[in-house]
């Protein structure tokens, strides 16, 4: 049976908004960081961007963005998988803002950034929840249905991308599909299991538009109107791949890329009406 992870209202009254959901794909360079604001003004974060010797996206981009937009607490931080371009900025985020829970694939890994996060979360008493297909997170009329992983290997074997957290977000008539860095094999397994239930207005393209993802099978099942690509300008991987862009074009999907337009904001009404804004 599905396990609902219900997020309780905070003790302080939350500033109400006008009933719209906001999804912000923050321009963090070659990585992912997606901030989601509920209709009641509460926040979730999906990944936190990269961190290296010279650049910490969490400190430089994600935390300033959240504070500038009025976030003072995160109800949950979903870390899709333990690669540096997704979790690198997370330490700065949990240092800056109170956090209700961290959700991740729950796979043991010895990566230094991941171990640092474990220690930081333990010090702050933050709940750590393993993402599993069938579980659900509900927040102010927004439902996040976890689709993947199911039961990852306990020994941590296999590539991190293969256990990347994937979920479907539902709000009124609106649907969005978030796939982390899931490869085509995971996409095709989701299609075989869920089929047309994957239909979505918006697709957050997996793995920054790598050739390993965004398969024909997925696009046929999801039939998105808009594709969001979080990618760094002039990145050395050649993302997004020309074949991926060609597939999206054949399916009539509008592509929005952070390397070209900066941060992308979707503002969604319960009836499915959608406004798009970009900001460098």
């Amino acid at each position: 049976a599905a396990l609902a992870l219900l997020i309780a209202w905070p003790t302080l009254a939350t500033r109400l908004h006008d009933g719209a959901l906001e999804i912000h794909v923050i321009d963090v360079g070659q990585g992912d960081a997606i901030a989601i604001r509920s209709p009641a003004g509460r926040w979730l974060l999906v990944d936190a961007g990269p961190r290296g010797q010279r650049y910490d996206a969490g400190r430089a981009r994600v935390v300033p963005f959240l504070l500038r937009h009025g976030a003072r607490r995160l109800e949950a931080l979903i870390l899709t998988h333990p690669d540096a371009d997704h979790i690198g900025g997370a330490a700065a985020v949990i240092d800056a803002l109170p956090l209700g829970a961290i959700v991740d694939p729950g796979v043991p890994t010895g990566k230094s950034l991941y171990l640092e996060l474990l220690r930081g979360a333990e010090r702050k008493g933050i709940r750590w929840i393993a993402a599993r297909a069938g579980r659900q997170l509900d927040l102010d009329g927004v439902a996040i249905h976890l689709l993947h992983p199911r039961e990852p290997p306990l020994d941590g074997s296999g590539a991190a991308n293969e256990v990347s957290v994937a979920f479907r977000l539902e709000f009124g008539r609106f649907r969005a599909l978030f796939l982390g860095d899931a490869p085509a094999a995971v996409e095709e397994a989701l299609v075989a299991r869920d089929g047309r239930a994957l239909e979505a207005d918006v697709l957050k393209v997996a793995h920054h538009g790598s050739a390993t993802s965004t398969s024909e099978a997925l696009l046929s099942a999801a039939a998105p109107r808009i594709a969001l690509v979080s990618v760094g300008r002039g990145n050395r991987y050649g993302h997004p791949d020309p074949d991926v862009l060609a597939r999206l074009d054949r399916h009539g999907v509008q592509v929005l890329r952070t390397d070209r337009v900066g941060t992308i904001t979707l503002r969604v009404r319960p009836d499915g009406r959608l406004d798009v804004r970009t900001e460098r």
Side-chain angles (χ1 to χ4, degrees):
L3 173 62
L5 304 176
L6 301 178
I7 299 177
W9 281 93
T11 54
L12 296 177
T14 304
R15 178 166 56 95
L16 295 178
H17 297 277
D18 60 358
L21 165 73
E22 291 184 0
I23 300 171
H24 306 270
V25 183
I26 304 171
D27 181 10
V28 292
Q30 185 67 15
D32 275 13
I34 302 165
I36 299 171
R37 187 172 73 173
S38 80
R42 294 196 288 164
W43 292 85
L44 306 174
L45 183 66
V46 183
D47 291 325
R51 187 176 101 199
Q53 292 183 344
R54 298 182 180 180
Y55 174 60
D56 181 340
R59 193 174 307 281
R61 296 290 182 90
V62 180
V63 170
F65 178 92
L66 290 168
L67 294 178
R68 190 167 67 249
H69 286 79
R72 295 298 179 264
R73 168 185 166 87
L74 293 174
E75 304 305 327
L77 169 58
I78 299 174
L79 298 174
T80 58
H81 61 296
D83 280 351
D85 57 332
H86 292 252
I87 70 167
V93 171
I94 67 174
D95 282 345
L97 292 166
L99 173 61
I102 293 174
V103 181
D104 88 333
V107 177
T109 177
K111 296 182 178 183
S112 60
L113 289 176
Y114 188 74
L115 296 175
E116 176 187 337
L117 281 178
L118 286 174
R119 290 190 292 268
E122 184 178 19
R123 284 195 304 271
K124 291 177 174 286
I126 299 170
R127 287 188 302 153
W128 202 291
I129 300 169
R132 293 294 178 267
R135 293 182 178 179
Q136 180 174 323
L137 186 153
D138 296 289
L139 181 66
D140 306 331
V142 179
I144 291 178
H145 301 273
L146 298 177
L147 305 175
H148 188 79
R150 297 184 73 79
E151 292 296 335
L154 294 177
D155 61 1
S157 62
N161 291 352
E162 294 173 1
V163 295
S164 196
V165 176
F167 63 88
R168 182 178 68 253
L169 180 151
E170 297 182 0
F171 174 62
R173 291 181 166 181
F174 175 77
R175 303 287 184 273
L177 194 58
F178 296 80
L179 297 173
D181 276 4
V186 170
E187 294 177 345
E188 290 161 7
L190 291 175
V191 170
R193 191 185 75 209
D194 298 324
R196 302 304 295 184
L198 296 177
E199 283 187 0
D201 303 284
V202 172
L203 169 68
K204 189 276 167 187
V205 169
H207 203 185
H208 323 289
S210 163
T212 61
S213 305
T214 319
S215 62
E216 285 283 356
L218 176 78
L219 291 175
S220 295
R225 294 185 287 131
I226 296 173
L228 308 173
V229 184
S230 184
V231 65
R233 286 177 283 279
N235 67 87
R236 61 190 176 95
Y237 306 102
H239 296 161
D241 186 85
D243 289 341
V244 169
L245 295 176
R247 283 197 291 273
L248 289 164
D249 184 63
R250 285 198 300 273
H251 284 264
V253 185
Q254 178 186 1
V255 176
L256 297 172
R257 300 167 45 169
T258 58
D259 62 332
R260 293 190 173 178
V261 300
T263 294
I264 303 161
T265 294
L266 307 181
R267 187 171 177 80
V268 186
R269 301 281 187 171
D271 63 4
R273 284 182 296 161
L274 174 65
D275 297 319
V276 179
R277 185 177 75 245
T278 62
E279 176 187 1
R280 282 207 177 273

